[in-house]
Amino acid sequence: MKNSVALQTPPMGWNSYDYYDTMVSENEIKANADFMAEHLKEFGWEYIVVDIQWYAHGAGSMRDKHQYIPFGKVEIDEFSRLFPCPNRFPSSVGGLGFGPLADYVHKLGLKFGIHIMRGIPRIAAHTHSKVMGTNKTANEIADPYSLCSWNPDMYGVIPDAEGSQEYYNSLMDLYADWGVDFIKCDDICRMDVPSAKQEIRMLKNAIDRCGRPMVLSLSPGPALIDESWHYTTHANMWRITDDFWDDWKYLLPMFKRCEIWQNHVGVGNYPDCDMLPVGMLGKGFGNERPTRFTREEQITMMSLWCIFRSPLMIGGELTLLDDWTLKLLTNPEVLKLLTNSEGARQLLRDDHHCIWLSYDKQEDKRYLAVFNLSEEESFIIINPDLVGIHSFNDLILTEIWSGTTQICKENQLTVSLPRHGASIYCF
């Protein structure tokens, strides 16, 4: 069965992780939602996603030793389901969970998402907590050998055990009651443990059953190309990279990753290049800073993500965006690639440059993205047969980042690009 949320276009939103790590609070979520509604919503940005450990007491308080505190206190109900930590999310008190915060986001015309870890809380297994919808307890469905290598909060479930599907059903029923629109499930995408593949299917079944459409996003990557059918059948997004950060050494390999996954982008199915580390980052990690990407590298990143049609999730703090970054994120002609293009494919890539081509879905137009991967300014010469036309001569080309138009006077296109720079031409 195909995934039930037939997203016509890749999701666009903001995620709290790159700036806040585990430490985001309710007021900070609201502030970012307010900013998105005022400055970004009209350009298609709509998801506000609370990332990891929203249920943890004392999150971030031992940052010099642990990103995730081993055996720390978590907020949990009698049915083994994690709830928001009331110290950081005061509107959740009284069993309301994320309902009030989701309502706040929805009233702004936006959508609300949360991060979860694969499996069931370890503390629930150790205390033999109940599982809603069954007489089985958490210890009977938890697999103590199904462990995340980097987060200590959960055990995987035993997929075939009675009560395991009921546990996932109870989670999605709860999230539907809260008004959640987007689920980012971690420790599952690259299938590090044998049960992960089945747990993806169980999550999808629980979402279908709950009656509320929810986007299912799988992390971390790199996703397994041999499992492409499983991802496209049971999820909407799946990470094709491990955590992506603001360094060229992470951006350069994304060209190969996009090449590998270029034939698996379609309605409801979006290989995910990960968050956009732009603006101010790292506060929750104890290293608040502006992005280390140069402006040219940020244009390259946005150009590749958009022509490939990856989901777009801003990682930087929205309320601290400068004018240049805001313009980077709101160029309507570039964002149009997400909604109005199709058939994107890589035409050429070597150590020095890369070229991608896609087609407008409504008009007889093409988009040509040209990337300089080298360490110095470069002139890139493109022959017409590479892009499937007879000649560039007298062809009118618009470079959509700058809006400048040129008429070609030769039977080839010569593009001058700075180090790590990019251009996108429409013709």
Side-chain angles (χ1 to χ4, degrees):
M1 182 184 294
K2 197 73 170 172
N3 59 69
S4 59
V5 183
L7 292 167
Q8 297 298 311
T9 60
M12 298 170 60
W14 172 83
N15 179 292
S16 63
Y17 182 75
D18 282 1
Y19 187 72
Y20 291 102
D21 185 29
T22 60
M23 300 171 64
V24 72
S25 70
E26 181 167 337
N27 286 339
E28 290 159 342
I29 293 295
K30 287 181 175 180
N32 280 274
D34 290 342
F35 187 95
M36 180 177 286
E38 183 175 355
H39 300 285
L40 295 165
K41 177 185 169 186
E42 65 180 293
F43 298 95
W45 302 91
E46 60 178 348
Y47 288 93
I48 295 289
V49 182
V50 182
D51 209 88
I52 197 164
Q53 282 209 324
W54 39 264
Y55 47 80
H57 290 257
S61 61
M62 298 177 65
R63 198 66 183 82
D64 57 331
K65 296 181 180 179
H66 305 288
Q67 183 176 13
Y68 311 109
I69 300 171
F71 313 111
K73 180 183 178 183
V74 299
E75 195 73 13
I76 192 168
D77 77 352
E78 62 177 314
F79 294 108
S80 308
R81 301 177 299 183
L82 295 167
F83 270 63
C85 175
N87 296 339
R88 286 186 290 143
F89 300 95
S91 70
S92 68
V93 171
L96 298 179
F98 272 128
L101 184 54
D103 286 345
Y104 183 93
V105 171
H106 291 154
K107 287 176 182 177
L108 295 172
L110 304 174
K111 296 180 180 179
F112 181 73
I114 59 173
H115 172 286
I116 65 172
M117 296 295 299
R118 175 186 63 88
I120 192 164
R122 291 191 193 184
I123 187 63
H126 297 167
T127 57
H128 296 196
S129 296
K130 293 185 287 186
V131 175
M132 182 173 281
T134 177
N135 60 4
K136 300 297 181 181
T137 50
N139 56 297
E140 296 178 273
I141 69 170
D143 181 352
Y145 303 102
S146 180
L147 302 172
C148 176
S149 63
W150 47 268
N151 179 281
D153 297 340
M154 315 291 274
Y155 292 126
V157 301
I158 303 168
D160 296 330
E162 181 183 348
S164 290
Q165 184 65 61
E166 285 81 0
Y167 166 70
Y168 275 122
N169 291 348
S170 74
L171 281 188
M172 296 307 132
D173 287 345
L174 179 66
Y175 301 157
D177 287 344
W178 288 350
V180 172
D181 305 294
F182 184 104
I183 301 289
K184 174 186 174 182
C185 186
D186 223 329
D187 187 40
I188 200 166
C189 183
R190 59 186 177 219
M191 304 183 189
D192 291 335
V193 298
S195 66
K197 183 174 181 178
Q198 293 166 284
E199 290 187 78
I200 291 170
R201 173 182 50 78
M202 296 169 75
L203 276 165
K204 190 265 186 184
N205 289 342
I207 290 172
D208 288 348
R209 176 188 169 280
C210 80
R212 181 178 180 84
M214 287 186 267
V215 174
L216 179 57
S217 169
L218 307 179
S219 290
L224 309 176
I225 189 64
D226 290 346
E227 295 292 352
S228 59
W229 180 89
H230 198 77
Y231 298 127
T232 59
T233 302
H234 299 294
N236 303 106
M237 298 165 47
W238 52 93
R239 280 262 296 278
I240 62 174
T241 180
D242 204 338
D243 286 359
F244 178 81
W245 282 102
D246 50 331
D247 191 309
W248 181 252
K249 71 180 181 182
Y250 296 116
L251 180 50
L252 184 59
M254 293 308 297
F255 288 90
K256 182 176 181 179
R257 296 189 188 283
C258 290
E259 176 191 354
I260 291 169
W261 284 97
Q262 64 184 337
N263 295 325
H264 298 276
V265 180
V267 173
N269 300 139
Y270 300 103
D272 179 13
C273 292
D274 200 13
M275 287 178 278
L276 300 165
V278 297
M280 293 299 294
L281 307 167
K283 181 180 179 181
F285 297 87
N287 181 29
E288 185 174 16
R289 66 181 194 281
T291 182
R292 298 187 182 107
F293 278 140
T294 66
R295 288 186 173 184
E296 289 77 15
E297 289 166 346
Q298 291 176 71
I299 290 170
T300 287
M301 174 178 60
M302 279 291 290
S303 298
L304 180 61
W305 269 231
C306 286
I307 198 163
F308 175 70
R309 299 187 72 226
S310 169
L312 300 183
M313 288 286 166
I314 302 166
E317 168 68 9
L318 296 184
T319 66
L320 299 178
L321 290 180
D322 60 20
D323 289 343
W324 186 89
T325 308
L326 188 58
K327 289 178 181 178
L328 174 84
L329 298 169
T330 57
N331 183 310
E333 295 304 312
V334 174
L335 294 176
K336 188 178 177 182
L337 286 165
L338 296 178
T339 58
N340 268 29
S341 73
E342 61 186 359
R345 69 183 190 277
Q346 180 181 279
L347 301 180
L348 184 152
R349 178 171 57 84
D350 57 27
D351 291 340
H352 304 290
H353 60 283
C354 183
I355 300 172
W356 277 70
L357 179 72
S358 70
Y359 301 88
D360 193 283
K361 291 196 294 187
Q362 297 178 330
E363 302 178 51
D364 184 19
K365 296 193 300 187
R366 306 177 190 216
Y367 298 96
L368 185 69
V370 187
F371 303 91
N372 178 12
L373 309 183
S374 71
E375 295 302 311
E376 57 189 21
E377 183 179 359
S378 179
F379 289 91
I380 301 167
I381 298 174
I382 303 168
N383 293 316
D385 57 344
L386 182 66
V387 298
I389 60 176
H390 296 297
S391 172
F392 278 112
N393 197 28
D394 293 328
L395 195 63
I396 300 174
L397 295 94
T398 301
E399 202 290 307
I400 62 176
W401 277 111
S402 62
T404 58
T405 298
Q406 68 183 82
I407 302 176
C408 285
K409 294 301 182 182
E410 300 181 12
N411 193 28
Q412 61 186 19
L413 175 64
T414 301
V415 181
S416 174
L417 289 173
R419 169 183 178 269
H420 300 174
S423 290
I424 306 176
Y425 294 93
C426 178
F427 60 95

